[in-house]
Amino acid sequence: MENQVDIENEGGMVEEEKIDLERNFSTISESGIREPLLKSKSRVNNTSQIAIVGANVYPIESLDYEIVENDLFKQDWRSRKKVQIFQYIFLKWTLVLLIGLSTGLVGFFNNIGVENIAGFKLLLTSNLMLEGKYFRAFAAFAGCNVVLATCAAALCALIAPAAAGSGIPEVKAYLNGIDAHSILAPSTLLVKIFGSILGVAAGFVVGKEGPMVHTGACIANLLGQGGSRKYHLTWNWLKYFKNDRDRRDLITCGAAAGVAAAFRAPVGGVLFALEEIASWWRSALLWRTFFTTAVVAMVLRSLIQFCRSGKCGLFGQGGLIMFDVNSGVSNYNTIDVLAIILIGVLGGLLGSLYNYLVDKVLRTYSVINERGPAFKILLVMTVSILTSCCSYGLPWLARCTPCPAGLEEKCPTIGRSGSYKNFQCPPGHYNDLASLFLNTNDDAIRNLFSSNNSNEFHISSLLVFFAGVYCLGIITYGIAIPSGLFIPVILAGASYGRIFGRALGSLSNLNVGLFSLLGAASFLGGTMRMTVSICVILLELTNNLLMLPLVMLVLLISKTVADSFNKGVYDQIVKMKGLPFLEAHAEPFMRHLVAGDVCSGPLLSFSGVEKVGNIVHALKYTRHNGFPVIDEPPFSEAPELCGLVLRSHLLVLLNGKKFMKQRVLSGSSILRRFHAFDFAKPGSGKGLKFEDLVITQEEMEMYVDLHPITNTSPYTVVETMSLAKAAILFRQLGLRHLCVVPKKTGRAPIAGILTRHDFMHEHISNLYPHFVPHK
């Protein structure tokens, strides 16, 4: 584990207090690292410096969202012409347009793949059952599912482990300032797309909505790389986007586009990004995100119209079309309101229990998954067989129901989609449970939301389906396939919502389809703890604004009830993976501490004109990413903080070899030798590394002027500022380093540096074990 140390833990001493860095570095390595919670039930994530990606542990870094105002940056902005500023703005809008187009096309391709693959599988099963070949039908059904599941698991386990799961926690962490290993890599994007198609078509109780959010973020990250020298894509305009700040905006747009593509809910996508994904927001970003989701909606609408002509195979009745929820009577009585309150409370209780069980299952699966790809694939195959047995076996418990008279559609349904599956029933009868289990998840939701026939599903069948989906959704999430939680939650919630509608019967003015919608809303609020975005997504899905007050009420109740037990499911997963996420609010105990209380040592600083050997030694034996630069006589009258210099910028400067034999200022020559874009951040972590440097012994004794690359305006706080106030400042500004300066004169000009690690609950509780409450 020595090579997996944190990259962020800066400490505290000034120039004259430099000690043996090798000894100090090994001390930090041995004492500061703990494994994420998923890796062991008995361990606590003490520093949040390593994180689970897939099933392995990787070191993590923070992202540089802050604008570095050094001499090179200022010279670049002063030299920019109006046409270059226009190029930057034009290209930014062009990129969000491309993100919308690409995400819309991927979402459509995803649905075509799922509908045709799953449709062929279900049609084969149905035809065999019509011939009375029940065992052969099960073999075909389970065999197709296992093959599809194995292919999806092999892609995840062997090519891109980071593609497993929904990806929403990872995107949320990235926009909070955390750069985990390969979460937005091109390989992750490809596996996310094809793995999601295979996994959903394999009949798992999972959705493609969460993976679509991750897919949109990966597309945005790929387009926002700022070009690639490796593939000779170095168009001059693209250089403006070689920074984390612009990539953050593009990835936010990509995440919103993913929601819009999954649900065809453009406004819901914007609100989802604002409420759940993004940690930083501004008005310009709102416009770009809204534009991106609008493009997605137009692309999907155009392609769906094309497919209605029958040119897309079996596609046409599955995802991407609105669920028909007929409001019927828009008024509701006192019994309806009481039932809705009860649905909200039940959704909060079931949602918190769901999150608790998902937590336990994830910890269990982690032990299996970390044993290697073979065990990951074997686990997926086991869950696939279990799901196939439930989907095919449970409908045998339901009794056959005579087809209702006066139906427009054919009953029983022969083929893939439809509400009246024949299964094993005689002519003129249908199996209501088979209509839910032996269908695509989108068609199952459509059947539950349907209000054409209130007695279409028996209460006993709805109870069996709810229990099956609830349990299968829990055990499926966490296996090595791309999997979303939206669809399982909507299915389970719609089931018990429809049960309420059936139980009330004539006492209610609302039909069973509306109760299904309210049940789905309550369960979504109880598991994900979102309100505004889920409300708008459901209303866009169902095209029923008359239900707005009731959906709002049930979401508020379910979220309030569930919050009293645990956190939302995505927040739990972020913590379990070891991602050091900064919450929007500070912990109460932070009000009793000040910034100077948590500054850990030792701090390593450089002089304004520093010896090359000292810089090389510091870069070799530490993993710090920010170093204070202190000017001392004769360059200043007294020691003063000049600013902060980044590790990546030091590597570029050393690689350029603009050294001097004398300790004098040489900023003008460096400004002529380098350009601001030489220090831009490359994409996908392919930047200059310490191992790439070749420094001779003679050069080690020379000097280099750090002033031109030093950020002369780093954010600083006085050491007596409350830790709570510093934490809020750190998160809202999207910082990586926060300098702590002394309150009194006569001391060193900087007291320490606060990084993300210093605000973590585990780190503070280690420093003050009798003061900080344990979680």
Side-chain angles (χ1 to χ4, degrees):
M1 295 292 290
E2 284 80 4
N3 62 336
Q4 294 176 347
V5 293
D6 170 11
I7 314 206
E8 286 302 303
N9 188 19
E10 274 82 358
M13 87 174 168
V14 292
E15 177 78 16
E16 61 270 20
E17 296 174 334
K18 292 179 182 176
I19 59 174
D20 183 0
L21 291 174
E22 295 186 43
R23 178 174 57 82
N24 175 56
F25 180 62
S26 63
T27 302
I28 295 175
S29 301
E30 292 168 5
S31 63
I33 296 299
R34 292 293 186 274
E35 292 185 352
L37 298 181
L38 279 178
K39 297 296 287 184
S40 174
K41 296 181 179 180
S42 61
R43 288 198 173 186
V44 178
N45 181 16
N46 192 41
T47 62
S48 294
Q49 304 307 319
I50 53 177
I52 294 288
V53 180
N56 297 322
V57 180
Y58 292 94
I60 59 171
E61 291 190 24
S62 290
L63 296 164
D64 295 299
Y65 290 149
E66 182 183 354
I67 295 177
V68 178
E69 292 185 342
N70 54 33
D71 293 342
L72 281 166
F73 174 87
K74 294 173 184 176
Q75 176 180 269
D76 175 62
W77 272 102
R78 284 193 298 264
S79 63
R80 283 195 186 183
K81 301 176 182 178
K82 289 185 177 180
V83 64
Q84 292 175 308
I85 297 174
F86 172 77
Q87 287 175 357
Y88 170 74
I89 296 173
F90 174 78
L91 187 57
K92 199 162 192 177
W93 282 98
T94 303
L95 285 176
V96 297
L97 172 65
L98 292 175
I99 290 169
L101 291 173
S102 303
T103 308
L105 289 172
V106 169
F108 181 73
F109 171 71
N110 193 315
N111 278 272
I112 283 185
V114 170
E115 290 291 315
N116 283 280
I117 296 174
F120 171 79
K121 174 190 69 178
L122 294 171
L123 191 60
L124 175 63
T125 305
S126 176
N127 290 337
L128 289 172
M129 293 200 70
L130 289 174
E131 298 173 6
K133 302 175 181 178
Y134 299 126
F135 290 105
R136 188 176 298 179
F138 172 71
F141 179 72
C144 290
N145 285 344
V146 169
V147 170
L148 293 170
T150 304
C151 293
L155 288 174
C156 275
L158 302 175
I159 299 177
S166 71
I168 291 179
E170 287 82 0
V171 176
K172 184 175 180 178
Y174 184 94
L175 295 178
N176 191 257
I178 303 165
D179 189 13
H181 179 76
S182 297
I183 59 173
L184 298 176
S187 59
T188 303
L189 170 62
L190 292 175
V191 172
K192 205 76 179 183
I193 294 172
F194 293 101
S196 178
I197 293 173
L198 295 170
V200 176
F204 285 116
V205 184
V206 297
K208 52 186 177 291
E209 287 68 24
M212 273 305 304
V213 175
H214 196 181
T215 299
C218 289
I219 291 172
N221 182 68
L222 184 64
L223 293 174
Q225 291 295 303
S228 170
R229 293 181 182 177
K230 179 180 179 182
Y231 299 105
H232 306 290
L233 299 174
T234 53
W235 191 29
N236 202 36
W237 285 22
L238 292 172
K239 63 185 181 182
Y240 298 119
F241 293 90
K242 286 185 175 292
N243 62 84
D244 289 329
R245 191 179 183 88
D246 284 320
R247 288 173 191 160
R248 172 182 61 183
D249 291 356
L250 294 175
I251 289 169
T252 304
C253 293
V259 177
F263 290 111
R264 209 176 79 171
V267 180
V270 176
L271 293 175
F272 181 86
L274 173 61
E275 182 179 8
E276 179 66 15
I277 297 293
S279 297
W280 184 85
W281 200 265
R282 59 193 173 99
S283 58
L285 182 58
L286 178 66
W287 278 100
R288 291 192 183 95
T289 307
F290 185 68
F291 174 73
T292 310
T293 57
V295 171
V296 172
M298 289 188 290
V299 169
L300 292 178
R301 184 176 183 85
S302 302
L303 293 174
I304 289 171
Q305 290 294 335
F306 171 77
C307 276
R308 284 179 178 169
S309 61
K311 299 178 181 179
C312 298
L314 294 169
F315 178 78
Q317 296 300 317
L320 292 179
I321 66 173
M322 291 183 180
F323 297 123
D324 180 22
V325 177
N326 183 15
S327 61
V329 180
S330 59
N331 61 325
Y332 34 87
N333 54 34
T334 304
I335 295 178
D336 291 329
V337 174
L338 293 176
I340 291 165
I341 293 174
L342 185 58
I343 288 175
V345 174
L346 183 62
L349 294 174
L350 291 174
S352 59
L353 177 62
Y354 192 90
N355 292 358
Y356 173 80
L357 294 175
V358 165
D359 177 285
K360 299 301 181 185
V361 169
L362 283 174
R363 294 171 189 270
T364 304
Y365 284 175
S366 176
V367 178
I368 301 173
N369 288 336
E370 67 184 7
R371 296 174 67 90
F375 285 86
K376 292 183 184 181
I377 297 173
L378 186 61
L379 177 61
V380 171
M381 294 174 66
T382 303
V383 175
S384 175
I385 294 172
L386 178 61
T387 303
S388 299
C389 292
C390 292
S391 298
Y392 189 86
L394 291 178
W396 291 90
L397 301 177
R399 62 181 184 274
C400 294
T401 305
C403 291
L407 286 178
E408 295 182 1
E409 61 178 305
K410 188 176 181 180
C411 179
T413 303
I414 306 299
R416 176 183 58 86
S417 61
S419 303
Y420 303 99
K421 289 288 186 182
N422 177 263
F423 202 60
Q424 87 292 7
C425 295
H429 292 71
Y430 71 96
N431 187 309
D432 58 347
L433 201 50
S435 302
L436 298 175
F437 273 116
L438 291 180
N439 243 329
T440 62
N441 291 332
D442 290 327
D443 283 336
I445 294 174
R446 186 172 292 104
N447 293 341
L448 288 170
F449 281 178
S450 173
S451 55
N452 295 330
N453 180 9
S454 60
N455 297 321
E456 181 178 341
F457 300 102
H458 298 289
I459 293 181
S460 58
S461 297
L462 291 171
L463 284 171
V464 171
F465 183 71
F466 166 73
V469 168
Y470 192 92
C471 296
L472 288 175
I474 291 170
I475 66 171
T476 304
Y477 193 81
I479 61 177
I481 61 167
S483 55
L485 283 171
F486 273 97
I487 291 301
V489 170
I490 291 176
L491 283 170
S495 301
Y496 69 71
R498 196 173 180 99
I499 291 173
F500 269 86
R502 285 293 312 274
L504 290 177
S506 59
L507 297 176
S508 172
N509 289 340
L510 301 176
N511 59 51
V512 291
L514 296 180
F515 273 104
S516 294
L517 172 63
L518 294 171
S522 71
F523 202 21
L524 284 168
T527 54
M528 300 180 184
R529 314 297 161 82
M530 293 178 283
T531 52
V532 179
S533 55
I534 287 180
C535 181
V536 173
I537 287 172
L538 288 175
L539 294 179
E540 288 186 284
L541 269 176
T542 58
N543 196 25
N544 191 345
L545 286 174
L546 297 175
M547 293 298 292
L548 177 61
L550 297 182
V551 173
M552 293 173 64
L553 175 63
V554 80
L555 280 170
L556 288 171
I557 293 174
S558 62
K559 182 184 186 309
T560 303
V561 171
D563 279 340
S564 61
F565 294 98
N566 50 32
K567 289 186 175 183
V569 63
Y570 296 133
D571 293 323
Q572 286 189 171
I573 295 172
V574 165
K575 179 176 174 57
M576 286 189 294
K577 285 179 175 289
L579 299 167
F581 189 86
L582 289 176
E583 300 289 349
H585 59 276
E587 296 283 356
F589 65 82
M590 290 185 177
R591 302 181 188 278
H592 305 289
L593 296 170
V594 296
D597 290 335
V598 297
C599 288
S600 53
L603 178 70
L604 180 63
S605 63
F606 295 134
S607 298
V609 181
E610 184 61 82
K611 182 181 284 190
V612 174
N614 290 340
I615 300 175
V616 172
H617 196 68
L619 295 178
K620 181 177 181 180
Y621 293 111
T622 72
R623 299 293 183 92
H624 302 343
N625 272 292
F627 300 89
V629 176
I630 298 175
D631 269 341
E632 297 175 332
F635 303 109
S636 63
E637 296 182 359
E640 63 179 29
L641 179 63
C642 177
L644 197 72
V645 63
L646 298 180
R647 179 188 189 90
S648 58
H649 292 182
L650 287 171
L651 291 172
V652 175
L653 186 63
L654 293 178
N655 194 54
K657 296 182 179 293
K658 289 296 291 185
F659 306 145
M660 308 164 294
K661 293 184 178 181
Q662 303 297 325
R663 194 166 183 258
V664 295
L665 296 174
S666 63
S668 58
S669 64
I670 291 178
L671 291 175
R672 288 192 301 269
R673 165 67 174 78
F674 293 98
H675 191 274
F677 293 116
D678 295 329
F679 296 88
K681 185 172 183 178
S684 301
K686 300 296 188 298
L688 191 65
K689 296 179 173 57
F690 177 79
E691 292 76 16
D692 301 326
L693 297 180
V694 179
I695 307 293
T696 65
Q697 191 61 40
E698 180 183 357
E699 290 171 335
M700 295 282 279
E701 299 301 321
M702 299 176 74
Y703 294 88
V704 62
D705 189 357
L706 301 181
H707 290 95
I709 65 167
T710 299
N711 180 12
T712 56
S713 58
Y715 286 96
T716 59
V717 297
V718 69
E719 62 183 350
T720 54
M721 175 185 281
S722 73
L723 190 61
K725 192 173 182 180
I728 297 299
L729 178 70
F730 192 93
R731 184 187 190 273
Q732 290 183 345
L733 294 176
L735 301 180
R736 187 175 190 176
H737 306 98
L738 183 60
C739 298
V740 180
V741 296
K743 186 175 181 63
K744 297 180 180 180
T745 59
R747 297 170 53 190
I750 182 169
I753 294 180
L754 292 176
T755 63
R756 179 178 297 269
H757 161 71
D758 296 306
F759 295 104
M760 292 295 104
H761 183 282
E762 294 81 8
H763 168 67
I764 302 172
S765 63
N766 277 347
L767 295 177
Y768 304 97
H770 304 295
F771 179 74
V772 179
H774 292 282
K775 287 189 175 181

